[in-house]
Amino acid sequence: LLRASDAGRAVFVSSGILHGEALRPYLGAYAASKAALEAIARTWAAETATTSNVKVMLANPGVLRTKMRAALMPGEDPMSVRPPEDFAPKVAAMCAPDWTRTGMYYDFKTDSVKAYRAPA
């Protein structure tokens, strides 16, 4: 259905755990699942880059006020963390028909879109 659309959009929610944040004990499965998600999304973006109207993005919401965050950081004041409602408009923008980027990474903390770099 996305390929048949005039403007198919897919936004995958990733994590900063793969982009400079320290890996935390006991979050290995979480980090591995995000690495797999990024590999799938980046591959799909490459596969559709020149053959369809599909745009594929990854997005890192960073620290948000979620139940998962509260469980991981029980001493943190939840009001010191941004709510998910702040991130939602950014995802909506990436889903809009006028969005033209694909295979890139949106970082909510810096409000910037970043290209992936080849390994050194």
Side-chain angles (χ1 to χ4, degrees):
L1 291 175
L2 288 176
R3 284 186 304 211
S5 170
D6 291 337
R9 302 293 182 262
V11 178
F12 294 86
V13 179
S14 188
S15 171
I17 202 162
L18 301 174
H19 299 276
E21 290 183 18
L23 293 174
R24 294 182 173 274
Y26 312 108
L27 291 180
Y30 176 78
S33 71
K34 292 301 184 179
L37 177 74
E38 289 203 12
I40 290 167
R42 290 176 65 193
T43 300
W44 190 25
E47 291 170 353
T48 58
T50 60
T51 60
S52 74
N53 293 322
V54 175
K55 305 298 179 207
V56 182
M57 291 292 296
L58 285 142
N60 170 24
V63 177
L64 294 180
R65 190 182 318 146
T66 63
K67 288 181 183 180
M68 181 178 160
R69 176 80 184 181
L72 290 171
M73 307 294 283
E76 181 177 72
D77 175 8
M79 298 314 290
S80 69
V81 179
R82 295 168 84 171
E85 294 82 11
D86 289 357
F87 179 58
K90 302 300 183 173
V91 174
M94 288 181 272
C95 292
D98 62 343
W99 186 266
T100 60
R101 295 177 179 178
T102 192
M104 300 181 90
Y105 179 83
Y106 171 74
D107 183 65
F108 186 48
K109 182 178 180 180
T110 61
D111 192 27
S112 62
V113 175
K114 300 177 180 185
Y116 283 94
R117 294 180 299 182

